[in-house]
Amino acid sequence: MREFQKKSIWFMVPYFFGIAVFYIIPFGRVLYYSVIDNTFSKKFVWGNNYRVVFQNEYFRLAMKNSLLLILIVVPVLVGLAFLVSWLLVNTKGKMKCLRMLFVFPMLIPTASIAIVWRVIFCEIDHVLPLWLLFVYKNLGLLIIIISAALSNLDLAIFEAAKLDGAYGVQLHRTMTLPLMASTLLFSVMLAIVYSFKIFRESYLFYGTKYPPDYGYTLQYYMNNHFLKLNYPYLAVGAVITSALIAIIVAVGLKLQKRFCYE
Amino acid sequence: MSIGKRVRKLLLCFMVGLCFAGCGREQTNMVEGVKEHVVYDVNHVKLFDVDENSKLYIYDDDNKLKILQPDGKVEKEYLVESAEWMGFCAGNEHLFMLLTEQVDGYPYEWLMLREMDLSDGSSKIVYSDGKAYSAAGICKLENQIFFVTRNEKEESEKKSDITAQYLDCGEQLVCFDVETGNTEIISLECLKMIAKKSEKELWIYGFDVDIRKFYFATFDVHSKQLGEKRYTDQHFNPFLQDFAYDEEMDKLLMLDFMNTQTILAYDPTELNANIGLYKVENGASDAQICCVNGYSYFLANGCVHRIRNNDYWRKTQQIVVYCGTYEYNLPEDSGYLLRYEYVDEEQMAMAVMAGNCDYDLLLLETESPIAENIRKIGAYEPLNSLKDVENYFDSSFDYIREAATDSNGAVWMLPCDISMDVLVFQSQLCNEYDLFDGGPITNQSLREAERKLKGLELEGKNIYYQYNYARDGLSRQIPLYVEDYAYQNGRVCFDSVLFQQLCENIKEEMNDDTQLYHNSTLADAVKGLAYDATEEEEANHFRNYFSNVAFVCADRHTLAREYRGRVDSQPKSILSYDFFDVQQMPVLEIGSEQAPIATAYMLVVNPKSSHLEEVKAYVAYLAERLCEKESIYLTKNLKGEYRDNERKVHDIYAKGRIVFEYPRDVFWEDFVAYLNGRITYQHMTSEIERKLNVYLKE
């Protein structure tokens, strides 16, 4: 067995190599850039870039908007996906065509959706259209994931729970949700990751690098600094975004351990 | 006779002899440093060829065929029959001429290959083709003559690809064997042109219909095998008229006859870079070029010129220039191997931030938002050590040095050229209709002049103009406001009386559309000139243009007649004509000292360049060139003689300034939306203020 393990390590080498080349080393460079004044003189300024960035009103605005998206829209998206999936699974094949309908937005090019959105919501001076666009674009994927998990739930457990007297909301709170916890947490994390990728939709919807204050997210901050050749601030933005995602993932994993049935 | 007298007499004879030798125009040998350039003393040359012994064969306007020795002496001369010559090649005391001749019984001319024996001047037809109407190149390899014929073809059979700029003219490669007299048509699809590579190989220039690109490839005449295709890139001008191969340099040479009038050398393995060897100063007469024994032969002013290619080639590594502008071209005849990459703003930002040696030079405008950021982050190699750059700054306007120097005194870029708009008036028309009062031009006086012309239109007199307050205001007045009034004391302000007035005036004029805005710009008029126009024709051309145009707006390229991709054969500034008057473009506030904004075309050296010293040497060379030639657009103190208008333009340019503008997408979209009536003035100003705030403070 040990011999087998020794041999199998070699099969992991390409994996570690890939991780190192494509993730760890570039991220190390980004960390390095975040503590120097610029990429040419390369003078260490340590935490000064972080201080400047945190003091910047537009960075704080971007951070606030990104967090609002995560805290408000992501739960709504996952909840909606769960609800639709539950309906789809429990209608026993009657609404199969509806499932296709929800997947459709994933197939339509973002640019086309953004144009339609601009036509429909051109008069609304609010962040809601953007949030709605985010939900519309990502709902289909989450429905696929959650409905697949729902379909695979063991019905015998539910029958047993019913025999024990669990019905209605209580059944779902005590049985369905814990059984689905890992899938739901995965969906939440996926949605959060996608929330950081809303930039393309947002850019096409607002049609500018300077969207209204409510639509100004971290990606705008980073992209605009990219065009200003300001790599250190861009790197700081990237590090903070990564840290934010890392914290969310860590919390998610903790929650998963707490709520999941092994 | 005493010995002293004899010596004096001999000396006198020797000097007289020297004088005669100097006056004789057998050939002019202009030696610039070590650069050899010879002009053969035979005028009105139509076609020429050079054999392997560097003997020059010339066919001139008088139907004379002359053979010249390498030193320029005429060896033989023949009078030949008048015909339409397409090309000829010489060797082994024989000449093979491609020409069209009338054949009895046929209504059209036939393409003929005529062989001439140079020992006795006799000639005979060795090949004729009734289907071919023209030819595109001929060359002799050992005992074979290769030439390309152009044949009539049904439209349906043609493989033209307009998008890829390929025109199928029915080209065919024909091989004539001198010994046997046999001809053979060699099947090569979509061939365009040929050139001799060696005694056994040809260079083929053709089009690949599958890949939809032009290519160069070698062709083994014995095995009839085509070598590897080397494809040209998008920067290569596909309308090639002639090319040659220099074995010593291992380069393909062509004369860019239509555009830069420069002999360009390409490495066959890398066709996206070229060396500008020599610029034909007074205009090439034809694109014809021959390369023999390391020398290039070409036609200019009806004479054959010869240069030694190696003298003009600097043999440096390739200098990669990332261009963010299409408005300006670096001098083509530097002798450096240059590769241009046209990149957009994001690509340029990526290249700069990568901090590697992918590029050597950045060529961009000061209008580009990235320009100032390059200075801010220090992405440049200081040029302070280059004496030529310092000399250039000493001789040019002060604001050029100011813009090129950062707060630490480092010269971070080289402004190669500047451009600024001026108003050009047709004095007589303006006086006749009393359009201006003679004082400085203001926005108000321009608007009033426009209105006067509209009033004249109602009376049936159509006097046009090429400056529109509304349309041109967009691109010229708004940047002036943004630069000087938009951001003051840490506050962005667009909701001001001045800006409101400016916007309302522009909007008002925008809605009042007129037919009097002349469709043809002055630049169009200049470009519309024939290549071979005489000075008188040129003057008439401009006089005609201005017969009913009262005033126009012209930038430096129009005034100087120097365009990217086009060099006039007689580059005479339009300011040389006296029926113009020029004035500075109006500023925003009447009586203010607001300086006009000049656009500078600047070069920035990549500090990470892998061959930094060579790149800096190139920049020093450019600075030296800029210094050498006095220019009314750059030089601070003019020493030469200039006309009044030229002096006026110089004074206007002297008052200018170089600014690094905010990105136009900060305010442009909202401004256009306001003009189109989609948003109100208040909405527009609040949006512009918000965006500029974000840009400045994020």
Side-chain angles (χ1 to χ4, degrees):
Chain A
M1 189 66 186
R2 186 161 288 177
E3 188 62 24
F4 174 74
Q5 276 179 342
K6 264 186 186 174
K7 278 183 183 171
S8 62
I9 282 174
W10 288 108
F11 288 101
M12 298 291 281
V13 168
Y15 166 77
F16 286 121
F17 180 75
I19 289 284
V21 169
F22 295 110
Y23 290 94
I24 297 170
I25 296 171
F27 193 72
R29 268 189 94 91
V30 170
L31 275 174
Y32 167 67
Y33 287 136
S34 73
V35 292
I36 56 170
D37 63 343
N38 67 56
T39 47
F40 289 87
S41 64
K42 291 177 179 167
K43 207 171 103 188
F44 275 97
V45 291
W46 304 108
N48 193 46
N49 290 335
Y50 287 87
R51 187 182 57 77
V52 172
V53 167
F54 274 118
Q55 280 175 353
N56 186 282
E57 61 176 298
Y58 284 96
F59 176 76
R60 291 205 299 263
L61 175 71
M63 193 70 145
K64 187 188 93 181
N65 289 335
S66 296
L67 285 173
L68 278 178
L69 194 68
I70 293 169
L71 294 175
I72 298 173
V73 190
V74 169
V76 170
L77 173 67
V78 176
L80 198 62
F82 183 77
L83 193 70
V84 175
S85 307
W86 189 83
L87 284 171
L88 288 173
V89 171
N90 285 287
T91 47
K92 290 174 183 168
K94 287 176 191 165
M95 295 170 84
K96 263 188 180 169
C97 57
L98 266 180
R99 192 178 302 187
M100 286 300 294
L101 211 68
F102 285 115
V103 179
F104 239 60
M106 287 167 64
L107 308 174
I108 305 171
T110 307
S112 318
I113 300 173
I115 289 168
V116 175
W117 236 250
R118 283 177 84 163
V119 172
I120 299 171
F121 299 107
C122 61
E123 296 296 322
I124 300 174
D125 188 19
H126 197 273
V127 74
L128 272 177
L130 183 66
W131 286 2
L132 202 59
L133 179 63
F134 174 66
V135 172
Y136 174 76
K137 186 84 179 134
N138 297 303
L139 189 62
L141 180 67
L142 295 194
I143 286 173
I144 291 173
I145 294 167
I146 295 171
S147 59
L150 279 173
S151 308
N152 288 328
L153 288 180
D154 191 350
L155 289 175
I157 302 172
F158 284 87
E159 295 294 333
K162 278 178 188 173
L163 285 174
D164 290 340
Y167 281 97
V169 178
Q170 192 195 13
L171 181 72
H172 290 304
R173 190 173 53 80
T174 54
M175 297 303 300
T176 315
L177 280 178
L179 284 171
M180 288 287 292
S182 59
T183 309
L184 286 175
L185 280 169
F186 174 72
S187 303
V188 167
M189 278 183 239
L190 202 64
I192 289 167
V193 170
Y194 280 143
S195 77
F196 284 106
K197 291 163 80 179
I198 190 71
F199 175 67
R200 187 176 47 166
E201 286 82 359
S202 173
Y203 186 83
L204 288 166
F205 179 64
Y206 293 116
T208 172
K209 287 183 273 189
Y210 311 98
D213 283 356
Y214 52 73
Y216 188 83
T217 52
L218 279 172
Q219 285 70 32
Y220 279 102
Y221 183 81
M222 288 193 274
N223 188 61
N224 290 351
H225 274 294
F226 167 73
L227 290 176
K228 286 178 179 173
L229 308 179
N230 203 338
Y231 212 115
Y233 289 2
L234 165 63
V236 169
V239 170
I240 292 168
T241 308
S242 308
L244 202 65
I245 293 176
I247 291 167
I248 292 166
V249 170
V251 171
L253 289 172
K254 277 270 176 203
L255 288 173
Q256 193 177 352
K257 277 182 185 168
R258 189 171 165 187
F259 291 110
C260 266
Y261 287 157
E262 290 299 325
Chain B
M1 199 183 288
S2 69
I3 295 171
K5 274 185 181 177
R6 278 183 188 173
V7 170
R8 276 202 293 274
K9 210 171 181 180
L10 266 170
L11 268 173
L12 190 69
C13 288
F14 179 67
M15 285 174 79
V16 169
L18 270 181
C19 285
F20 275 109
C23 293
R25 287 188 61 240
E26 290 228 303
Q27 68 169 342
T28 316
N29 197 344
M30 298 188 292
V31 179
E32 186 195 317
V34 288
K35 293 177 180 175
E36 186 179 328
H37 173 211
V38 172
V39 185
Y40 287 91
D41 187 28
V42 178
N43 295 316
H44 311 296
V45 177
K46 269 183 169 176
L47 287 170
F48 68 90
D49 189 40
V50 185
D51 69 12
E52 58 272 24
N53 300 318
S54 301
K55 273 188 189 174
L56 180 67
Y57 299 76
I58 280 172
Y59 173 61
D60 69 13
D61 272 354
D62 301 326
N63 293 321
K64 279 183 185 160
L65 181 75
K66 290 174 182 165
I67 303 171
L68 279 78
Q69 288 174 353
D71 62 1
K73 281 181 186 156
V74 179
E75 187 181 293
K76 279 181 186 170
E77 191 172 313
Y78 305 90
L79 189 65
V80 291
E81 284 176 38
S82 172
E84 186 70 34
W85 286 43
M86 306 280 167
F88 67 89
C89 63
N92 298 342
E93 284 297 300
H94 283 261
L95 198 77
F96 293 88
M97 302 161 277
L98 267 176
L99 36 89
T100 51
E101 278 183 20
Q102 192 73 47
V103 176
D104 291 342
Y106 288 90
Y108 48 85
E109 291 181 327
W110 284 39
L111 184 79
M112 310 275 189
L113 181 67
R114 191 179 269 278
E115 182 181 0
M116 183 177 178
D117 189 336
L118 294 174
S119 58
D120 56 9
S122 64
S123 73
K124 62 180 179 190
I125 292 168
V126 291
Y127 170 80
S128 62
D129 188 343
K131 287 179 187 168
Y133 63 90
S134 171
I138 178 167
C139 45
K140 184 175 178 296
L141 274 69
E142 290 179 333
N143 282 323
Q144 289 174 313
I145 309 293
F146 290 88
F147 52 97
V148 178
T149 59
R150 291 186 177 133
N151 301 275
E152 296 290 352
K153 222 174 174 182
E154 291 290 330
E155 277 302 318
S156 57
E157 290 175 11
K158 285 185 179 175
K159 293 181 177 170
S160 298
D161 186 334
I162 303 301
T163 321
Q165 299 182 299
Y166 168 64
L167 203 63
D168 186 352
C169 300
E171 284 92 346
Q172 269 184 347
L173 180 60
V174 182
C175 169
F176 171 74
D177 193 303
V178 178
E179 281 182 354
T180 62
N182 294 333
T183 53
E184 181 190 0
I185 292 173
I186 298 166
S187 173
L188 271 176
E189 202 181 43
C190 300
L191 162 81
K192 282 310 284 180
M193 215 165 276
I194 56 167
K196 182 176 174 177
K197 182 175 189 278
S198 64
E199 287 302 321
K200 289 173 185 170
E201 281 181 306
L202 283 175
W203 274 109
I204 301 286
Y205 176 60
F207 181 74
D208 191 320
V209 281
D210 297 325
I211 296 180
R212 301 182 66 202
K213 277 183 174 180
F214 285 89
Y215 67 86
F216 286 91
T218 54
F219 179 74
D220 191 310
V221 294
H222 294 303
S223 64
K224 306 279 190 290
Q225 289 296 310
L226 198 65
E228 185 195 348
K229 289 178 180 174
R230 283 96 184 250
Y231 293 98
T232 62
D233 72 350
Q234 56 180 330
H235 308 306
F236 190 87
N237 179 11
F239 300 110
L240 201 60
Q241 286 157 308
D242 195 13
F243 75 102
Y245 176 69
D246 184 339
E247 211 170 344
E248 280 184 19
M249 285 173 79
D250 187 25
K251 298 272 184 286
L252 292 165
L253 271 73
M254 46 210 82
L255 176 53
D256 186 15
F257 177 62
M258 294 299 286
N259 295 319
T260 55
Q261 303 253 319
T262 307
I263 295 175
L264 303 172
Y266 288 84
D267 190 326
T269 56
E270 195 163 354
L271 291 160
N272 55 4
N274 68 51
I275 307 157
L277 286 184
Y278 181 84
K279 183 173 176 136
V280 185
E281 284 301 335
N282 297 315
S285 319
D286 197 83
Q288 202 186 162
I289 186 164
C290 266
C291 273
V292 176
N293 302 329
Y295 288 87
S296 280
Y297 298 77
F298 58 93
L299 270 178
N301 287 332
C303 296
V304 177
H305 292 236
R306 184 183 82 199
I307 59 165
R308 193 163 69 193
N309 297 331
N310 262 321
D311 292 351
Y312 292 84
W313 179 26
R314 292 182 193 255
K315 299 182 187 71
T316 56
Q317 286 183 58
Q318 188 182 87
I319 295 176
V320 181
V321 187
Y322 275 17
C323 299
T325 176
Y326 289 90
E327 298 295 321
Y328 175 76
N329 230 9
L330 291 165
E332 295 281 353
D333 57 337
S334 64
Y336 285 87
L337 178 62
L338 296 176
R339 178 156 72 87
Y340 293 96
E341 295 269 338
Y342 291 91
V343 293
D344 61 23
E345 195 189 329
E346 286 197 15
Q347 287 170 309
M348 195 174 272
M350 189 73 90
V352 172
M353 288 211 295
N356 57 27
C357 56
D358 280 358
Y359 72 95
D360 299 305
L361 284 171
L362 292 178
L363 175 62
L364 67 167
E365 297 175 27
T366 45
E367 278 177 9
S368 169
I370 204 175
E372 197 182 17
N373 292 324
I374 290 170
R375 175 175 62 79
K376 280 182 184 166
I377 67 160
Y380 58 84
E381 172 66 21
L383 305 174
N384 299 56
S385 59
L386 303 179
K387 184 119 185 53
D388 293 307
V389 172
E390 189 55 34
N391 293 342
Y392 165 57
F393 287 151
D394 287 343
S395 68
S396 55
F397 298 131
D398 292 337
Y399 63 84
I400 292 179
R401 183 200 290 270
E402 273 172 36
T405 313
D406 74 2
S407 54
N408 300 322
V411 176
W412 66 282
M413 56 105 158
L414 179 78
C416 306
D417 198 3
I418 58 168
S419 179
M420 202 193 299
D421 289 330
V422 296
L423 273 169
V424 178
F425 302 88
Q426 210 277 36
S427 327
Q428 198 188 334
L429 269 181
C430 290
N431 291 338
E432 191 179 335
Y433 296 106
D434 196 23
L435 296 182
F436 302 105
D437 58 8
I441 300 293
T442 62
N443 284 317
Q444 198 58 31
S445 59
L446 266 172
R447 289 183 75 203
E448 278 167 17
E450 281 183 35
R451 284 173 187 161
K452 275 185 192 170
L453 292 178
K454 282 168 198 165
L456 287 171
E457 189 186 16
L458 296 174
E459 295 170 22
K461 291 174 192 163
N462 282 351
I463 309 296
Y464 297 91
Y465 52 85
Q466 237 291 309
Y467 174 84
N468 183 289
Y469 178 79
R471 288 169 222 212
D472 296 292
L474 285 175
S475 56
R476 294 182 186 93
Q477 304 293 316
I478 299 296
L480 277 176
Y481 182 87
V482 173
E483 186 55 38
D484 294 331
Y485 299 93
Y487 188 65
Q488 288 175 333
N489 306 322
R491 193 174 151 262
V492 175
C493 177
F494 278 88
D495 194 9
S496 66
V497 177
L498 183 65
F499 191 65
Q500 188 169 7
Q501 206 175 14
L502 177 68
C503 292
E504 282 172 1
N505 287 345
I506 289 175
K507 194 171 182 180
E508 188 187 321
E509 293 290 323
M510 197 75 144
N511 294 333
D512 182 18
D513 207 6
T514 175
Q515 299 299 312
L516 291 172
Y517 190 78
H518 204 285
N519 288 328
S520 167
T521 62
L522 184 55
D524 293 333
V526 173
K527 284 175 192 167
L529 266 169
Y531 265 100
D532 52 354
T534 61
E535 278 198 26
E536 197 184 335
E537 283 168 342
E538 277 198 24
N540 285 337
H541 178 85
F542 289 124
R543 212 167 268 126
N544 280 340
Y545 177 80
F546 275 96
S547 62
N548 59 356
V549 178
F551 52 91
V552 300
C553 176
D555 62 8
R556 175 241 191 285
H557 305 295
T558 307
L559 294 176
R561 296 172 62 183
E562 288 173 10
Y563 305 100
R564 190 193 133 69
R566 159 81 200 260
V567 178
D568 287 307
S569 51
Q570 291 168 317
K572 188 175 172 181
S573 157
I574 67 157
L575 297 168
S576 317
Y577 300 105
D578 54 8
F579 40 88
F580 301 126
D581 195 3
V582 286
Q583 275 225 24
Q584 182 190 316
M585 296 292 291
V587 293
L588 283 182
E589 287 182 295
I590 296 170
S592 81
E593 288 296 313
Q594 195 175 31
I597 295 174
T599 299
Y601 303 96
M602 52 184 253
L603 268 181
V604 182
V605 177
N606 180 6
K608 303 282 175 66
S609 169
S610 57
H611 49 121
L612 195 56
E613 288 312 311
E614 275 181 1
V615 178
K616 283 168 82 173
Y618 174 66
V619 172
Y621 157 80
L622 289 179
E624 189 190 350
R625 271 178 79 130
L626 286 165
C627 227
E628 268 173 11
K629 201 175 175 185
E630 198 169 271
S631 160
I632 58 169
Y633 310 100
L634 291 168
T635 310
K636 187 160 51 181
N637 300 314
L638 297 178
K639 290 184 183 118
E641 284 187 16
Y642 295 92
R643 290 167 181 266
D644 283 351
N645 278 339
E646 288 171 327
R647 291 257 173 215
K648 279 184 191 171
V649 169
H650 176 259
D651 293 344
I652 294 169
Y653 271 64
K655 275 192 266 177
R657 61 183 157 153
I658 293 170
V659 297
F660 298 94
E661 294 185 16
Y662 300 127
R664 293 199 170 184
D665 54 2
V666 170
F667 52 85
W668 213 245
E669 193 189 336
D670 296 295
F671 189 71
V672 173
Y674 159 74
L675 290 179
N676 293 336
R678 294 205 306 272
I679 57 174
T680 61
Y681 174 77
Q682 278 72 26
H683 187 178
M684 174 195 67
T685 51
S686 69
E687 273 299 286
I688 295 178
E689 283 180 5
R690 185 185 62 75
K691 288 180 180 177
L692 193 58
N693 255 321
V694 177
Y695 176 76
L696 292 169
K697 294 179 183 172
E698 72 182 353

